Short mmCIF file of all heavy atoms in Angstrom, two decimals:
data_model
loop_
_atom_site.label_atom_id
_atom_site.label_comp_id
_atom_site.label_asym_id
_atom_site.label_seq_id
_atom_site.Cartn_x
_atom_site.Cartn_y
_atom_site.Cartn_z
N THR B 152 192.00 21.69 117.98
CA THR B 152 191.36 22.51 116.94
C THR B 152 190.53 23.66 117.50
O THR B 152 190.68 24.81 117.12
CB THR B 152 190.47 21.62 116.05
OG1 THR B 152 191.28 20.62 115.44
CG2 THR B 152 189.81 22.46 114.96
N LYS B 153 189.65 23.32 118.44
CA LYS B 153 188.76 24.36 118.99
C LYS B 153 189.55 25.47 119.66
O LYS B 153 189.27 26.66 119.50
CB LYS B 153 187.80 23.72 120.00
CG LYS B 153 186.54 23.17 119.35
CD LYS B 153 185.39 23.14 120.38
CE LYS B 153 184.06 22.82 119.68
NZ LYS B 153 182.91 22.93 120.61
N GLU B 154 190.55 25.05 120.41
CA GLU B 154 191.39 26.03 121.11
C GLU B 154 192.11 26.91 120.10
O GLU B 154 192.17 28.14 120.24
CB GLU B 154 192.40 25.29 121.99
CG GLU B 154 193.32 26.19 122.79
CD GLU B 154 192.74 26.56 124.14
OE1 GLU B 154 191.59 26.15 124.42
OE2 GLU B 154 193.43 27.26 124.90
N ALA B 155 192.67 26.28 119.07
CA ALA B 155 193.43 27.03 118.07
C ALA B 155 192.53 28.04 117.35
O ALA B 155 192.90 29.21 117.15
CB ALA B 155 194.05 26.06 117.06
N VAL B 156 191.35 27.58 116.97
CA VAL B 156 190.41 28.47 116.28
C VAL B 156 190.04 29.65 117.17
O VAL B 156 189.95 30.79 116.73
CB VAL B 156 189.15 27.69 115.85
CG1 VAL B 156 188.04 28.64 115.45
CG2 VAL B 156 189.48 26.74 114.72
N ARG B 157 189.86 29.37 118.44
CA ARG B 157 189.49 30.44 119.36
C ARG B 157 190.61 31.47 119.47
O ARG B 157 190.36 32.68 119.50
CB ARG B 157 189.22 29.83 120.73
CG ARG B 157 188.58 30.79 121.69
CD ARG B 157 187.44 30.12 122.43
NE ARG B 157 186.42 31.06 122.84
CZ ARG B 157 185.51 30.78 123.78
NH1 ARG B 157 185.50 29.60 124.35
NH2 ARG B 157 184.60 31.67 124.10
N MET B 158 191.84 31.00 119.53
CA MET B 158 192.98 31.93 119.62
C MET B 158 193.08 32.80 118.38
O MET B 158 193.46 33.97 118.46
CB MET B 158 194.27 31.14 119.83
CG MET B 158 194.34 30.30 121.10
SD MET B 158 194.34 31.30 122.60
CE MET B 158 196.04 31.88 122.60
N ILE B 159 192.76 32.21 117.25
CA ILE B 159 192.81 32.97 116.00
C ILE B 159 191.65 33.96 115.94
O ILE B 159 191.82 35.12 115.55
CB ILE B 159 192.77 32.01 114.79
CG1 ILE B 159 194.04 31.17 114.76
CG2 ILE B 159 192.61 32.79 113.49
CD1 ILE B 159 193.95 29.97 113.81
N SER B 160 190.49 33.49 116.36
CA SER B 160 189.30 34.35 116.32
C SER B 160 189.47 35.58 117.20
O SER B 160 189.18 36.71 116.80
CB SER B 160 188.09 33.53 116.78
OG SER B 160 186.99 34.38 117.03
N ILE B 161 189.96 35.36 118.41
CA ILE B 161 190.19 36.49 119.33
C ILE B 161 191.17 37.47 118.72
O ILE B 161 190.99 38.69 118.78
CB ILE B 161 190.75 35.98 120.67
CG1 ILE B 161 189.81 34.95 121.26
CG2 ILE B 161 191.03 37.14 121.61
CD1 ILE B 161 189.07 35.33 122.43
N PHE B 162 192.20 36.93 118.12
CA PHE B 162 193.21 37.80 117.50
C PHE B 162 192.59 38.63 116.38
O PHE B 162 192.89 39.81 116.22
CB PHE B 162 194.36 36.93 116.97
CG PHE B 162 195.64 37.70 116.74
CD1 PHE B 162 196.51 37.95 117.78
CD2 PHE B 162 195.96 38.16 115.48
CE1 PHE B 162 197.69 38.65 117.58
CE2 PHE B 162 197.14 38.87 115.27
CZ PHE B 162 198.01 39.11 116.31
N LEU B 163 191.71 37.99 115.61
CA LEU B 163 191.03 38.72 114.54
C LEU B 163 190.18 39.86 115.09
O LEU B 163 190.12 40.95 114.51
CB LEU B 163 190.15 37.76 113.73
CG LEU B 163 190.90 36.89 112.71
CD1 LEU B 163 190.02 35.76 112.21
CD2 LEU B 163 191.40 37.74 111.55
N HIS B 164 189.53 39.59 116.21
CA HIS B 164 188.76 40.67 116.85
C HIS B 164 189.68 41.84 117.20
O HIS B 164 189.34 43.00 116.99
CB HIS B 164 188.08 40.16 118.12
CG HIS B 164 186.86 39.34 117.88
ND1 HIS B 164 186.91 38.02 117.48
CD2 HIS B 164 185.54 39.64 117.95
CE1 HIS B 164 185.68 37.55 117.33
NE2 HIS B 164 184.83 38.50 117.61
N GLY B 165 190.84 41.51 117.74
CA GLY B 165 191.79 42.56 118.11
C GLY B 165 192.27 43.34 116.90
O GLY B 165 192.42 44.56 116.94
N LEU B 166 192.51 42.63 115.82
CA LEU B 166 192.96 43.31 114.60
C LEU B 166 191.87 44.23 114.07
O LEU B 166 192.16 45.35 113.60
CB LEU B 166 193.33 42.27 113.54
CG LEU B 166 194.64 41.53 113.79
CD1 LEU B 166 194.85 40.44 112.74
CD2 LEU B 166 195.83 42.49 113.79
N SER B 167 190.64 43.80 114.15
CA SER B 167 189.54 44.64 113.68
C SER B 167 189.50 45.96 114.47
O SER B 167 189.35 47.04 113.89
CB SER B 167 188.21 43.91 113.83
OG SER B 167 187.13 44.78 113.56
N ALA B 168 189.65 45.84 115.78
CA ALA B 168 189.66 47.04 116.62
C ALA B 168 190.79 47.98 116.21
O ALA B 168 190.61 49.19 116.12
CB ALA B 168 189.78 46.67 118.09
N ASN B 169 191.94 47.39 115.94
CA ASN B 169 193.08 48.22 115.57
C ASN B 169 192.94 48.80 114.17
O ASN B 169 193.38 49.92 113.92
CB ASN B 169 194.37 47.41 115.68
CG ASN B 169 194.90 47.37 117.10
OD1 ASN B 169 195.71 48.18 117.52
ND2 ASN B 169 194.42 46.41 117.88
N MET B 170 192.31 48.06 113.28
CA MET B 170 192.09 48.60 111.94
C MET B 170 191.07 49.73 111.98
O MET B 170 191.16 50.69 111.20
CB MET B 170 191.64 47.49 110.98
CG MET B 170 192.78 46.61 110.53
SD MET B 170 192.29 45.43 109.26
CE MET B 170 191.98 46.53 107.86
N ALA B 171 190.12 49.62 112.87
CA ALA B 171 189.15 50.72 113.02
C ALA B 171 189.88 52.00 113.40
O ALA B 171 189.48 53.09 113.03
CB ALA B 171 188.11 50.37 114.08
N ALA B 172 190.98 51.85 114.13
CA ALA B 172 191.73 53.02 114.58
C ALA B 172 192.93 53.30 113.68
O ALA B 172 193.83 54.02 114.07
CB ALA B 172 192.19 52.83 116.01
N GLY B 173 192.93 52.72 112.48
CA GLY B 173 193.93 53.15 111.52
C GLY B 173 194.99 52.15 111.10
O GLY B 173 195.77 52.43 110.18
N MET B 174 195.08 50.99 111.76
CA MET B 174 196.09 50.03 111.33
C MET B 174 195.83 49.61 109.88
O MET B 174 194.69 49.41 109.48
CB MET B 174 196.06 48.79 112.24
CG MET B 174 197.04 47.70 111.80
SD MET B 174 196.94 46.21 112.81
CE MET B 174 197.86 46.72 114.25
N SER B 175 196.91 49.48 109.10
CA SER B 175 196.75 49.11 107.69
C SER B 175 196.43 47.63 107.57
O SER B 175 196.78 46.82 108.44
CB SER B 175 198.03 49.42 106.93
OG SER B 175 199.02 48.47 107.25
N ALA B 176 195.78 47.28 106.47
CA ALA B 176 195.44 45.88 106.22
C ALA B 176 196.71 45.05 106.07
O ALA B 176 196.76 43.89 106.52
CB ALA B 176 194.57 45.76 104.98
N ASN B 177 197.73 45.62 105.48
CA ASN B 177 198.99 44.87 105.31
C ASN B 177 199.61 44.51 106.65
O ASN B 177 200.04 43.38 106.88
CB ASN B 177 199.98 45.70 104.50
CG ASN B 177 199.70 45.60 103.01
OD1 ASN B 177 199.04 44.66 102.55
ND2 ASN B 177 200.19 46.57 102.25
N LYS B 178 199.64 45.49 107.53
CA LYS B 178 200.19 45.24 108.86
C LYS B 178 199.36 44.18 109.59
O LYS B 178 199.91 43.27 110.23
CB LYS B 178 200.20 46.55 109.67
CG LYS B 178 200.81 46.42 111.06
CD LYS B 178 202.30 46.17 110.98
CE LYS B 178 202.90 45.91 112.36
NZ LYS B 178 204.32 45.49 112.25
N ALA B 179 198.06 44.31 109.46
CA ALA B 179 197.17 43.36 110.12
C ALA B 179 197.42 41.94 109.61
O ALA B 179 197.50 40.99 110.39
CB ALA B 179 195.71 43.76 109.91
N ARG B 180 197.55 41.82 108.30
CA ARG B 180 197.80 40.50 107.73
C ARG B 180 199.11 39.92 108.23
O ARG B 180 199.21 38.73 108.56
CB ARG B 180 197.80 40.58 106.20
CG ARG B 180 196.49 40.20 105.57
CD ARG B 180 196.62 40.13 104.06
NE ARG B 180 196.87 41.45 103.47
CZ ARG B 180 195.90 42.26 103.05
NH1 ARG B 180 194.65 41.88 103.13
NH2 ARG B 180 196.20 43.44 102.55
N ALA B 181 200.15 40.74 108.27
CA ALA B 181 201.45 40.26 108.73
C ALA B 181 201.36 39.73 110.16
O ALA B 181 201.86 38.64 110.47
CB ALA B 181 202.48 41.39 108.63
#
Side-chain angles (χ1 to χ4, degrees):
Chain B
T152 300
K153 273 206 170 186
E154 181 89 357
V156 166
R157 191 136 208 197
M158 298 295 283
I159 294 166
S160 168
I161 304 250
F162 199 83
L163 281 167
H164 283 78
L166 287 175
S167 172
N169 278 268
M170 283 187 69
M174 177 183 281
S175 74
N177 279 340
K178 183 68 185 173
R180 263 187 293 269

